[in-house]
Amino acid sequence: MELHLTSRTPPDTHRSVKVISFRFLTTARCLWSQALAAFPDDVWIYVQAGIEYSDLGDHPTALAWLTPGMELALRTGDPESALEQFVALRATSLAATGDTPDDL
């Protein structure tokens, strides 16, 4: 599992990673929502949620996190340098769902 957590990453994100890894999806979804509500401008929440759902093979949910996260990174000038990861992760999930790459 690829992790990109930093000391600035909200504690709920760390817990989400552990919980989703054990496939307690209901709890993990709740924790991701709490982390996003507490830190709505943290692109790493979107990246990490996208990675976790992609790793589980849930590419539609991964895209539901990766797309708005990428839009946030673009809108804010990508101060966290996350765009490269978003591009690669979205491409993987788009291919897995059979969707064609878009202009994002």
Side-chain angles (χ1 to χ4, degrees), residues 54 57-63 66-67 86-102:
S54 179
D58 186 351
H59 294 283
T61 303
L63 287 169
L66 295 169
T67 300
F86 278 122
V87 169
L89 292 165
R90 282 188 79 247
T92 298
S93 287
L94 286 169
T97 59
D99 292 332
T100 55
D102 52 24

Side-chain angles (χ1 to χ4, degrees), residues 69-80:
M70 188 169 177
E71 290 168 343
L72 173 63
L74 288 167
R75 196 170 52 251
T76 60
D78 193 29
E80 300 291 332

Side-chain angles (χ1 to χ4, degrees), residues 4-10 41-47 69 72-74 76-86:
H4 302 281
L5 303 177
T6 67
S7 61
R8 291 186 14 197
T9 303
D41 295 328
D42 187 336
V43 295
W44 294 113
I45 292 171
Y46 294 95
V47 169
L72 173 63
L74 288 167
T76 60
D78 193 29
E80 300 291 332
S81 302
L83 276 176
E84 186 176 327
Q85 285 186 278
F86 278 122

Side-chain angles (χ1 to χ4, degrees), residues 14-45:
H14 291 275
R15 289 190 323 192
S16 294
V17 169
K18 292 176 184 173
V19 171
I20 202 168
S21 296
F22 291 103
R23 299 184 188 260
F24 288 82
L25 295 176
T26 302
T27 302
R29 284 186 184 111
C30 179
L31 292 171
W32 284 122
S33 295
Q34 289 172 1
L36 185 59
F39 301 92
D41 295 328
D42 187 336
V43 295
W44 294 113
I45 292 171

